[in-house]
Structure formats: structure tokens, C-alpha cells
Amino acid sequence: MMLDSQDDMVVEPTRNDRDQVAIIEPDQLDNDSETLGDVTLATDFEAIKEIVLTPLLEEPKVLEDVVDTWKVENWRSLGKKEHGPTFKAGGYPWRILLFPFGNNVDQSSIYLEHGFEDLSSVPDDWSCCVQFGLVMWNTHDPSLFSHHTAHHRFTKDESDWGFTRFLELRRMFQQPWGNSSRPLVEDDSCNITAYVRIVEDETGVLWHNFNNYDSKRETGFVGLKNQGATCYLNSLLQSLYFTNAFRKAVYQIPTAEDESVNNSAYTLQRLFYQLQISGSAVGTNELTRSFGWDTRHIFEQQDVQELSRKLIERMEERMKGTSAEHSLPKMLSGKVKTYVSCIDVDYESSRLEDFWDIQLNVRGIPNLQESFKDYIQQETLDGDNKYWAGDEHKYQDARKGVIFTSFPEVLHLHLKRFEYDIQRDTMMKINDRFEFPDQVDLSPYLEKDADRSEPWVYKLHGVLVHSGDLNAGHYYAFLKPNQDGWFYKFDDDKVTKATMRETLEENFGGEYKSSLRPARSSFQKRTPIMRQMNAYMLVYIRESRLDQVLTPVNKEDCPPHLQQRLDEEAAVREAKRKEREEQHLYLPVKVITEETFKNHPGTDLTHFDFPADEPAAPRHYKMRKQVTMEEAVATIAQDLGQDPRRVRLWIMVNRQNKTTRPDQPIMDLRPTIEETLSRSVGTSRDNNLRVWAEVADEVDEKGNAIWPTYQGNANGVVVKNDLILIFLKHFDTDQQTLHGAGHIYVSKEKKIEELVPVIAKKMGWGEKLPAGEQLAMWEEIKPSMIESLKAKQSLKAAELQDGDIICFQKVTERKDVLGKIPRLGDRNPEEPKRWDRFDDAKAFYDFLCFKRDIRLDPHPRCEIPDLDSFILTLSSKITYDQLAERVGEYLQVEPTYLRFFTANATTGAAKGVVRRVPNATLAQILNPQNYTQQSLQTKSNSLFYEVLEMSLAELDTKKGIKVTWLSEGITKEDVFDVLVSKQGHVEDLVQALVKKAQIKDESEGGRIRIYEIHNHKFFRELVPNYPVLSINDYVDVIAERVPEEEIDAQDGDFVKVIHFQNDPSRVHGVPFKFLLKPGERFSETKKRLEKRTGIKGKAFEKVKFALLRRYQKPVVYISDDDVLLEDGNSIEEDSMLGLDHMDRTRVARNGAEMFLK
């Protein structure tokens, strides 16, 4: 019978009932016993048990089976909910829970529940894993029955589990059951038998729902958070972390002088230490950022083998010159010998190489040992395929193969689960069964002369698993942290104990056991069900070196500077957590003082979001909400170095014009600061108490402040006179600055011109202004509204009130009325007017409204050395030419020789060129009006600049071409940006390259070949008279000297050459043309290829060669005796010569290596 589907096993509260039951709605087609009734009787409990208690996928140990039957009588007279008699199983009480007329459905509902009478006596962590079946059968005819089966982890909270739709009521009472003439419930009664199997919960997580599961508490270990699709990275990192010797070696890398998030060694140290001390799952964000990954790469699963190699290689580089320099090769590197040995003569050619991991075949191979045998299997070279053993021995029969000379202490085995399928012409995952043991002896795979002073016996340490198919899947790991004890399953942030069956059998792959398969149709039964989860990487540790590899790692092994830094960060996090918890008890108080106002260079009295270290930033106090205003004044006065009696606070209010100004002083100091804030109308929007602190200029004989207005009397009455509080700002035309100048009290009836001597005295200019000078004044109503004040106008007529701001500046005296602003034409005609200089405050306020701090960085391709990055404060209303003028002035270069580029909002890298449009403003340059997806990705405060060798006008007549110059075969690439006239040809491009790269011209150094490549494949060679305008912008242009042997060669004698790694689709490097010589054996061709490519020594020895043809799979590699071009023939047009070697310059992330730092 079919198990209940996962969707059916839903836990819901019982409606109209206070108790909660787990509701399972089984598939209606899986449980009727009509086909079984004529052969099996419900009274045959052993036979029924075989039907309802089927083998479980997890195969847990059975502790006890119990069968109990409840005879249910007078069914139609039963209540809404009934309980059967209690029985014992596994030492715990159980009973059947019955809803005779359905639990809010039109079917009977039957459940199994634990029968504890007093739930308070049940421990909170109590659990019991139970497989059970419930059988309803006819009391008179036991051949008539219906059943369902399920399994569940019963806990104190999840006390019941079962079937809401056990059987339709109409089928129970009205319809004959099966082929009989009787209903299932006859004479208003039936039997319900519970088959209860108690199974062992060996790991403590069998059928666990993992609500409130704590990995650290349950296992002592923590997991890693998945950033999106980084489960493959998490499994690899856990494997390396629990290779304790590797962790210790990483800790020995000196990083005290480079605690940068761009240093992958430092971030890996941080990650390992956090895994060691943290109580919860650790994030990998810092590590992936140090790799150079952005959000896009977080959601791309990478090649695990390559990731492992790159990471280990990077750590090995960082260990050079330290005490751990040789630890990784000793731990992770072995040696393998590739050989060709003659059978009839004493001659052998061999090459010894290091390996850091072994790739083993899986397809069609039953187990690990057989795969090792396959790996070292010999190939016989005889007949037409004899081996050339040199001039002495000529052609000989020989055996070709590989043999291991040593294995490392920690052996990484990559199982080739992903291979190219020639039938489907695509990569496929191989789910074949492949067994691997807990312990393996690798001595049979070593050469005879290998050191056998210690046994080559290896113990399984880790199994890294992939679950899913080629296109989608999940990675997790089974690891054994200690020599003895359990394996643990590390599944991202969750860590659980794992049995040996889970570690081994469940990850072998292959078909499910027939006894564990769910029931299917006869057609489906012909198709085997394959396990989708299987091992793709194995980690073995040499048994004799277990103590050294799994050496204990203590807190003291971690670098002290790292511990200190993480302890400091933990303390900061704890302080922030405590602050968040206590935040409701405190109220932020922000105070504007005379000093902060005088330092303020912008509009209003301050900006409340200024950084704390900014001189103009308001002072910030964190006070308990219950502090009285009197206590708050005392605290602020102490900070200002003043007597509290001389300080009073004005409440700041938000005006309708969106400015924030003082409204009136706080006279009653008895309320709390919270009450004061709540009573104030129109105050802070962010729940801060914002005030201006006034310090009295005069005191009486008792030291009490004498205030110009709002003076409190002895009887508590506050006196308000006609004086108003005015704040002053000074615009300095010489310095082009605006700053606060303090405050004054002035009668409303006074005229504007009467403020001149007051301001002059305030500024220290004397009782009156020097002859020939006047003041121009404006009211700052709001940042975008500045109104001129008339000299003869009163403050009352100008509608000035408490908290208003008057801005003033000195102007040359004229007969005009005070406040009339000089026109530009009034300036000395000999003084040139600069567009970035402001003659009056109103124009300066306009600049403040539109100013931006723009960061300008030199473009990476700019060839002038030592150019700086800098920030200019500019108005967003300036034009392209004005921008060029300001930047040119800073750099001291001609503005017309500057070119600008926008910046990518995500990466910060340079984007497209900014076109020179005379009327375009800086705002339009940084934020294009069309709002395409591309423009939304542009940084709004950043530009790149390039200093050109010519003006932009001249540049418009040129075409820019990026040319890669190959100076040493293909091993050295120099990239040059070459400018050629749009009317020019390839021969002009060559001349421009010669000049740019400072290389010999063709007459002296030899002919230069120009060709295009696309996706690392040779596209076409360009003839000298080919127009440069026709060069495709989407191809790469390559330039090289034509080798002497190729100068007069025919096109038909050339073959195109590409580079690939393992699979021809994984191309890399620079392709090129290579001359084939008719009848030449490939052993000689290789010598010319070595010279042609510039790949030398061991690197060239590792290269394998293949002749690639379209649609030809798999790859056929070339032997030394093969001839690529027979006499009188030509190479096939679609054929290419492939060089199979590791891509050490792989660019997978924005043009950078997988690991940069």
C-alpha cells in the first residue's frame, strides 16, 4: 500500500475543539483492502502487520511491536470525540483517538496519541519515534477491513498523529464493502486495531521537524549560512575546517599587518575561528567578498574541484616563508608516475608529477577499489601503435600507464559524477551505484619500490554529497571530526548526528532497494528508481597519521590579534544588542549650541544627520526617558562648562516650510524629557528631543540668568516682551563661505538698517562699518527661498519671528538703497568673471541647494602615471564644459583633453563614455532622463576621467581598438588601446601599434599578423588593406609577429589551435594559427608547438593534444607517432588542434581570477 504523501501529513488545530491533533489526509486510492480481503483476515495480526508496517527508508532498529484492538460499539450514539483504552508500547501509554463523524470532514477521523494523563510529568524534551498502522474491520467478517499507515516523532507538544480522512461515512454504513454484501460497520459496531512499532532514534533527529533545533547544543558544532547557492562552498569549507592540521596551518599565516576583508587568508582565519567559538551558524559573506564575488556569483554554483584547488593553492602561497610553508604539500600532495615501459627491452620513459586530488571514474564501476584499478590500468602499445624507444631500440611493444609512488596524509578523491553523454550530446549526472569503504588499503596501487615502512591504510573522514541533477541540486557533507565517534551531517546551518548507513549506503547512489520503493503502477515498476543523492568527493586520512592530522586545535592556536579583533567585535555586538533591548528606556536628545551653529556651513541651524565628529553636528545625549528637564539642563550645562542657571533650552519645531527652528524656551523644568517631547507640537519626526541651548550673557547678584525675553518672575509668571530671537549668518565673498555668526534679540519695531551697527559689533568690525562699505541682508526662509530685506522696512513688516535667520554680506557702498544687490556688470571690467564664483549670498544659496560632492577617479586605461582620485564640490547645474574646466584646473591639464566615464552603481567600475553635449548639466550626466535599466545602474556621485593625447574634437575622427600584443608566443599578453583614423586600414593599425607599444616596425622586426578571435576561438585574419571601421566591436583583436617558417606558407597548411580544460566546451586562452608540415610525426610537431606557444618545461609536459572535429565526441587524444597532415592532403576545414591543459588564467568573475587576494 502506498505511504501517505507529504502534503497529506499536515498538522492543524482541531476546529471547534480546544485540543490540537495532527491531521493526515491520505491518498484515497492507496488504502482500501478490497483486493486483499479474500486472502487476508484482520484477525491474522502477523499478516496484517506485514502489510501496514512496511520497511522504512531510514531502516531504524525496531525496539518493540505492539498490537491492540478496540471494539467500537453503538457508533451512531458516540460523541464528537472518543478515546480507546490505553495500552503500553515502548514503556509509554498509547491510545486511539476517534472522531466518529469526522474532524470537520464528512469522513471518520482516526489518530494515534500518547496516553499520558498528567502532561506536566512529561519532560519537555521527551520524544518517541513510532511507525503505526490503523485497521478498521468488520466484527463479524474479518476479511472486510480498511487500513492506513504512517510514522511520526511524538513529543510532548505533538501528542497525536493520524488520518483525518480515514474513510467516508457513507461507505462505512450504506455500501457493501468490496465483493461482499455486508458494510464495513455492521450492527453499529466495528473493531479498530492499532499496530504500533517503536523504533530506535539513534541520532536523536529521526523524523525531527527541526523547530527550535540548536546544532551547538545537540552536537557541539555549528553550521554555515547559505548565501543563496553556496551550499557547495559550505560543504568544502567544513571538510577543510575539520582537517585540523589544515586549520592549524591556516592559523600560522601572518595576517596581523593585513587585517583586510580583501585578504582571503585573513577572512578564512576569521571563519575558522568563528566556527570554533560561535554558538550559532556562521556567515561566509566576508570570505566570498575576499574572493572578489558579487551578488551574481553567490547564486551561481561553481566547480567544487576547481574551488578546492584554487583555495588550497592560495593558502599555500600565503604560507611561503612561514613555519607552515611545507605543511600543505606534506598533508595534501602525493606523487604519481606516468610511464611507458618496453616489454622486450630494458627501456622506460617516465615522468613524476605531484597531485593534490585524484579524479576517479564512476560509470560502470562498482566500487572504490575497482576505480583505482581502472585508474592505473595499463595500455599495451603494439602492432601499428608500437612505441618509439629511440634510435637504439627503434619501435617496441610497450605498456603505457600511471602508477602512484606515494599518497598524501589527507587524500581528496573527486568522483566523476558529471560527464559528457554522447547519446544526448550534453553533460549528465551519473547516479550509478559506487561503493566506498570506511577503511581502504591503497598499497596495491603503489609501485613496487614505494616506501612501505608504514601501512597505506586510509580511514574515511568525509563524504561530500550532491543531491539533485545537473541543473539543480543541493550539497552537504558527512564528516567525522574525531578519530572515534560519530559522523555528523553538515547541511548548511544545520548539524546532526549521522549513522554509518546514512554516511555510506545512502550515498553510494544507484537504485533504491525494492523493499523501500513506494508502490507504483505495473508500467512504472519496470523503471528503476535511482537515488538522486550520492557522493561526489571523498576525504580519506592515512590511519598511521590520524593523530597528526586530527590534532586538537585549541583557542591558543588561533592568532592572538584575530582573537582580540573578534572579541572586540563580539563586545560591540553585545553592546548593540543590550542597547536595542534597553532602547525603549532612553530618549535621544540633540542639542544645537552657539559653537555648532558658528561651524555650520549650510542652510538652517544645522543638519541633524551630520556625523558625530563634524564640528557643526549637534551634541548628542542619550538620556533615560524619566529624567526631568532640570536634570537634562544640568547635564548639558556641565558638558558646555556653564552654570546650569545660565542655560536654557529652546524646543525645536518643524515648520510647514520643512525647516527646523527654535520656537520657544522650555520654562517648566519639572516634567520629564519624554513628557516635554509629547507636549511639544510639530517637533521631531524621529522621536528625538531637539533643542537649542542658549547661554545667558547677564546674571543678577545671585547668579541667576537675566533673559532678554521670556523672563520668569518670582510668582511663576513668564513675561514676553516685543524682542524676537534672530540668528545671523555671514556670507564671506572673498572666502566663498557661509557660516553662523551667533544670535541677537531685536525689537520688532526696529528697522532693518538699524541692525547694521549691532551686526558690526557682533562681528568685531567696530561700532560702524568702514567708509565705503555697506551690508546687504536677506531672510533665509528655507533653503530654496532667500528674500532680500529692505533697509527701511521694520522687522514686524518683514514678518520676522523667533528663530528666523538673517544672512548678511559686505558690499561696496553705492547710492542705491541698502539691500539692492550689485549686478555682474557693476564689477571692475578688468576682473574676469568666473562661473564658479558667487558675488552674493542668494547665488551661493542656490549653489548650496544643488551642490554635490563628486568623486573623480582616473580611468584604469589612462596611461599617465600617478594620477590621483579626488573629490570636487560642484553644482549639479554646471555644464559639461564647466565640469571639464574645473577638473582640468585641478589636474592642470587642458580641459578639451579630458574625457569622462560614468561609474557602475554596483561594482564601482567604469562604464560608458559621457558624450559631450554642450547644454547637458551635471545632473543629467549622472542621472540620464530616459531611466533605462542601464541608467539606473549608474552611480550618482562618481565619475572616471581620462587624460587624452589629443582633444575630444580630434578624437572624434579616430576609432579606438583594443589590441592584445603577443610578444612571447602566447604566454605574454600586453593590451594596448590604439587610436586609428576612421578612414584608415589595418596597415595603419599596425603602425599605430608599433608606436604605442614601442616595438620594432615591420621592416626591422618582421611582418605583424592581425587577427580576430571570439570566445577564445580563431575567427579570421585581417589583410593589410582591410578598413578599420569594419572591425567588429564584439571580437578581440590579436597582434603577433609572423614566425619565419610561416611567411610564405599556404593557407591550406595551417590549422587553428584552441586551448581547453578537460572538455572542448571549456575553452580558454588565446587561439592561434599553426603551420603543419606534411608527413611530420607528432613528436616533432610538439617541439615546434613548444617553441610557438612559449609554454616551457613541466608546464608543456602536462599539455595533452587532441584533434577536434565538429560533432565528434568524445575527445580523441593524439599520440607521438600520429601524423596530422599526410603528404598530398590538406587539413579538414572544420578541424582544430586542441591543447588540453589547466586554465590558470580563468576569468569567471568580472574579468578577475576566482581568488584575487
Side-chain angles (χ1 to χ4, degrees), residues 285-495:
N285 304 63
E286 290 180 349
L287 185 67
T288 54
R289 277 200 300 271
S290 73
F291 294 168
W293 296 3
D294 58 28
T295 305
R296 174 171 59 88
H297 306 118
I298 296 303
F299 291 92
E300 292 178 356
Q301 291 189 346
Q302 310 296 334
D303 186 312
V304 178
Q305 181 186 13
E306 183 182 15
L307 178 67
S308 173
R309 284 183 179 179
K310 286 282 187 181
L311 181 56
I312 293 171
E313 181 182 291
R314 185 62 61 190
M315 293 305 109
E316 186 191 12
E317 287 178 9
R318 297 305 300 267
M319 290 176 189
K320 288 179 180 176
T322 71
S323 56
E325 180 171 0
H326 303 293
S327 58
L328 292 193
K330 177 174 175 288
M331 186 194 319
L332 297 168
S333 178
K335 292 189 180 296
V336 62
K337 183 173 78 173
T338 303
Y339 65 88
V340 179
S341 179
C342 293
I343 298 173
D344 300 319
V345 297
D346 184 16
Y347 181 86
E348 180 178 284
S349 171
S350 64
R351 182 174 72 245
L352 199 62
E353 295 178 294
D354 295 333
F355 69 87
W356 291 78
D357 52 51
I358 303 173
Q359 293 190 64
L360 296 175
N361 288 322
V362 170
R363 188 192 293 274
I365 298 178
N367 55 47
L368 184 68
Q369 293 88 334
E370 290 300 319
S371 190
F372 264 105
K373 289 179 183 177
D374 173 72
Y375 194 93
I376 64 170
Q377 185 177 8
Q378 293 180 335
E379 174 189 357
T380 302
L381 305 178
D382 56 11
D384 294 337
N385 197 27
K386 285 187 177 184
Y387 175 67
W388 176 258
D391 293 334
E392 181 181 353
H393 301 293
K394 310 297 181 185
Y395 286 102
Q396 294 286 333
D397 291 344
R399 294 187 180 92
K400 178 182 178 181
V402 296
I403 190 72
F404 295 99
T405 61
S406 68
F407 292 106
E409 294 175 346
V410 180
L411 181 61
H412 287 178
L413 303 177
H414 290 273
L415 308 185
K416 295 167 75 171
R417 287 284 181 189
F418 300 96
E419 283 192 352
Y420 178 80
D421 188 311
I422 193 170
Q423 303 296 331
R424 296 179 176 86
D425 191 27
T426 186
M427 294 292 289
M428 295 290 291
K429 184 183 177 186
I430 300 169
N431 290 313
D432 292 6
R433 183 175 178 86
F434 182 88
E435 299 179 6
F436 47 89
D438 180 44
Q439 179 174 301
V440 62
D441 183 2
L442 297 181
S443 57
Y445 318 113
L446 288 167
E447 69 173 352
K448 294 178 181 178
D449 298 334
D451 179 8
R452 299 174 190 267
S453 57
E454 293 178 40
W456 292 97
V457 176
Y458 281 74
K459 293 283 290 181
L460 183 65
H461 172 68
V463 181
L464 278 63
V465 180
H466 177 266
S467 174
D469 58 21
L470 178 71
N471 300 313
H474 180 58
Y475 293 82
Y476 49 90
F478 292 88
L479 300 167
K480 192 175 184 180
N482 304 304
Q483 293 189 41
D484 303 311
W486 289 84
F487 272 89
Y488 291 85
K489 181 181 179 181
F490 292 81
D491 188 352
D492 286 338
D493 56 355
K494 190 164 68 251
V495 185

Side-chain angles (χ1 to χ4, degrees), residues 1-5 8-9 24-33 36 48-49 51-54 107-112 131-137 145-151 161-168 171-172 177 184 192-196:
M1 292 296 173
M2 201 171 183
L3 294 175
D4 294 317
S5 67
D8 293 331
M9 303 177 81
I24 303 179
E25 301 177 354
D27 202 305
Q28 294 181 9
L29 300 177
D30 67 344
N31 346 20
D32 295 345
S33 61
L36 299 172
I48 296 295
K49 185 165 71 172
I51 296 172
V52 296
L53 300 183
T54 54
Q107 303 188 29
S108 61
S109 304
I110 311 177
Y111 309 89
L112 178 69
Q131 181 187 14
F132 64 95
L134 299 174
V135 181
M136 179 188 292
W137 50 287
F145 63 87
S146 178
H147 76 276
H148 294 301
T149 184
H151 61 262
W161 199 254
F163 311 96
T164 299
R165 290 180 169 83
F166 188 91
L167 194 60
E168 293 177 80
R171 296 184 63 197
M172 291 168 54
W177 187 260
L184 190 62
I192 301 177
T193 301
Y195 293 80
V196 177

